[in-house]
Amino acid sequence: MKCATSDKLEQWFDGLVQDDEYKSIQTHLKTCQECQQIIELYSNEKQFIKETLGTPTLPDDFANHVLSELEPYAPKQKRKKWKRMLLPAAAAVLAMGLTTTLHPSFAEWIGGFFSTDQVDEGLRMASESGLTKRINQEVTDQGITFKVEDVLADSSRVALSYQILNHNGKILDSFLEMSDSYNVITAYDQDGNKIDRLGISWTDGADYGLIEFSIRGLESIEALKIKFELVELNGTTGKWNLEIPIDLKEIKKMTTKLVLDDQKTSENGVGIHLKEVQFAPSSNEILYDTYFTTEEQAKVEAQIQTLEDSFGKENVHTFTGYGTAIQYHIENKEGDTLYHHNTFQDQGHPSDRGLLQGMGQDTEKLGYIEWNESFVPQRKEEQLTFVLDGVMKTVPSDFSIKIKPKELKKDPLSFEYEGNFITIKKVHKQNKFSLRKAFLPIKMEQVVKIEMEGGKEVPSTDLGAWVLVDEKGETYETLHSGAILDEKDENGRFKTNTTLTIYGLKEVPEEFALHLLSVTRYEEVEKEWKVPLYKE
């Protein structure tokens, strides 16, 4: 799977994502060093806050140092939000796309929260189809009211809009603390089975919040009971218990499913199995598997074994994420592209169009991934066709480069690898406040950082995990951060920047080698593979 947003990672850390998404991110974290860094920061920050909250004084520049350390891990387009959310001691639930405040009376006048642009287009379309039900159920304690206004449900998800009001009816911040306050929101099916697929959306100061349970793939569910057990709202302790019953029997009849019989192919060492497509009022879903072909798997396993022999099994498998994926688009009868996934659209990295949610579940077999991707539904019935554009393989690499740090000041070291033109600019020690462990008093620690800049052709290979081997033969993992910018250099390549951070090195070695352990290659198909997503 692709890296989740920082917002989604913090929701995963606080246990606020749906069960299947939780497992998908958990699997992804085993092999993605950038995401591991973010989770490590959340974990250590939380512990740090607990242990230092009572400390009378901190260094004057402590906050700036902390924010400067967090800054590289925030997506560039969301950097402003990232800072704002972390300033009040890292609120437990981050926003997932709500960006404006909506006055409640206006929302009610035009049809409720689900008719606004604060929700995804799939929910808006389902609302336009009449699936929103106004329930206005509420509970009051300590002068504060928790109110569930609307429910919207289909076979893919159940969403509820809520508000928090004071004794005068004034709308309060919709933030729900879910980590330490013991607020609990749970869904149970008709047999009393717990559904662990909760997601919460909100924005700072917004009038409405959104609670969503995914029920994708849970075909036996005919009814749900959403149970609220809240003990803290807006800093006030109390007791707000509420139960919302939801009948899904009739709603599920609005979903159609098409099983795609024996739709399999293979390209450039990657096998693809399209399994089924579902059309629900709030989303269209496509389910498929990707895997290494038998020959490719044997090749990859042999290459991995070579790396394990050289650098150790733990170093090889911590950040590499060997696996498979595909690039595709979905078009209508006229050949117009309605959706695309993992394709290059005038950017240095793959992008999506119309995607609501995508996740891949690793299996026990190397490189075999089960994918479930949902898209915004079409406003009119279309004859859709799946078109395979390319395959993606994250595989071992044998590239390495030797570096003498002192020589970089006069002569930066440049190299080219599979469409990546990289210059190693600087290797240096850096003192920083320790966020890996909570210390009292607060201590500094030293890390070694390797800074690179360059340009990337499109399409070209993505460089993955590196290890550093010093002159004594000791191997160190590196933590990777960086970006592929939309800006191009004088050669027409997309600009890139990369920083490798190494813990455990007390000094910058006189000479060392960097070994690239994994790369992701994009390979176009020789002939488009098309699969009708309708009954012929």
Side-chain angles (χ1 to χ4, degrees), residues 363-464:
T363 64
E364 294 182 358
K365 186 176 181 181
L366 175 69
Y368 198 112
I369 303 176
E370 298 172 341
W371 298 95
N372 182 325
E373 287 151 1
S374 60
F375 296 86
V376 175
Q378 293 299 301
R379 292 190 174 273
K380 64 178 182 178
E381 187 173 345
E382 297 270 12
Q383 288 188 348
L384 303 179
T385 299
F386 170 95
V387 184
L388 180 67
D389 297 313
V391 299
M392 302 162 57
K393 298 184 293 187
T394 300
V395 295
S397 167
D398 60 0
F399 177 78
S400 62
I401 186 169
K402 289 186 177 181
I403 301 169
K404 295 181 179 180
K406 291 182 179 179
E407 296 181 1
L408 296 178
K409 295 180 180 179
K410 295 185 296 183
D411 187 18
L413 181 60
S414 298
F415 66 90
E416 185 275 332
Y417 183 75
E418 297 188 4
N420 292 270
F421 295 79
I422 306 297
T423 298
I424 301 175
K425 306 284 288 187
K426 186 178 182 182
V427 180
H428 61 101
K429 288 193 304 181
Q430 182 177 9
N431 294 326
K432 51 180 260 185
F433 286 106
S434 177
L435 294 179
R436 297 197 301 158
K437 296 180 180 180
F439 292 103
L440 286 177
I442 300 165
K443 292 184 178 180
M444 304 289 290
E445 66 177 338
Q446 288 185 339
V447 298
V448 172
K449 292 197 172 186
I450 304 171
E451 297 182 8
M452 310 182 193
E453 295 178 357
K456 180 179 176 62
E457 295 180 342
V458 174
S460 63
T461 295
D462 290 341
L463 308 186

Side-chain angles (χ1 to χ4, degrees), residues 265-272 274 288-291 324-330 340-344 350 371 373 386-393 459 520-530:
T265 191
S266 62
E267 288 282 348
N268 297 311
V270 175
I272 304 104
L274 286 186
Y288 63 93
D289 299 341
T290 61
Y291 48 90
T324 57
I326 57 175
Q327 300 170 290
Y328 65 88
H329 69 273
I330 296 175
H340 64 75
H341 181 51
N342 281 335
T343 60
F344 291 97
W371 298 95
E373 287 151 1
F386 170 95
V387 184
L388 180 67
D389 297 313
V391 299
M392 302 162 57
K393 298 184 293 187
T520 299
R521 297 189 174 108
Y522 303 86
E523 301 188 38
E524 294 183 3
V525 298
E526 294 182 4
K527 182 180 180 180
E528 288 183 335
W529 181 53
K530 294 189 175 185

Side-chain angles (χ1 to χ4, degrees), residues 145-162:
T145 296
F146 178 79
K147 175 184 176 182
V148 177
E149 183 176 277
D150 289 336
V151 173
L152 190 155
D154 65 10
S155 62
S156 65
R157 48 182 167 168
V158 174
L160 306 92
S161 64
Y162 69 89

Side-chain angles (χ1 to χ4, degrees), residues 1-6 8-9 25 28-29 31-36 38 75 342 352 358 480:
M1 65 172 287
K2 296 195 300 183
C3 293
T5 64
S6 56
K8 183 66 71 177
L9 287 173
I25 293 176
H28 175 73
L29 283 168
T31 57
C32 180
Q33 62 187 112
E34 290 189 50
C35 293
Q36 286 178 357
I38 296 175
N342 281 335
D352 304 312
H480 175 282

Side-chain angles (χ1 to χ4, degrees), residues 6 31 53 139 152 166 180 209 218 221 288 306 348 419 430 479 489:
S6 56
T31 57
L53 206 55
V139 59
L152 190 155
N166 69 8
D180 295 326
L218 304 180
I221 293 182
Y288 63 93
T306 299
Q430 182 177 9
L479 303 181
D489 62 18

Side-chain angles (χ1 to χ4, degrees), residues 289-325:
D289 299 341
T290 61
Y291 48 90
F292 290 123
T293 60
T294 302
E295 182 179 355
E296 185 74 13
Q297 176 133 1
K299 177 182 175 182
V300 170
E301 288 177 346
Q303 293 171 331
I304 291 174
Q305 185 61 57
T306 299
L307 293 177
E308 290 177 355
D309 294 342
S310 299
F311 308 113
K313 189 171 184 178
E314 183 177 353
N315 290 327
V316 170
H317 290 281
T318 301
F319 300 132
T320 45
Y322 302 121
T324 57

Side-chain angles (χ1 to χ4, degrees), residues 163-225:
Q163 293 179 313
I164 302 172
L165 306 93
N166 69 8
H167 65 284
N168 293 320
K170 180 182 178 181
I171 306 297
L172 303 178
D173 192 334
S174 61
F175 170 67
L176 282 179
E177 174 64 71
M178 299 297 293
S179 60
D180 295 326
S181 68
Y182 304 105
N183 286 332
V184 177
I185 305 173
T186 316
Y188 299 92
D189 68 11
Q190 69 275 5
D191 299 318
N193 299 312
K194 184 178 178 182
I195 310 300
D196 293 319
R197 296 182 172 188
L198 171 65
I200 297 180
S201 304
W202 67 286
T203 193
D204 192 20
D207 291 350
Y208 282 87
L210 173 65
I211 296 165
E212 186 175 320
F213 283 89
S214 171
I215 54 174
R216 293 179 174 91
L218 304 180
E219 298 182 6
S220 63
I221 293 182
E222 296 182 348
L224 282 180
K225 180 183 290 184

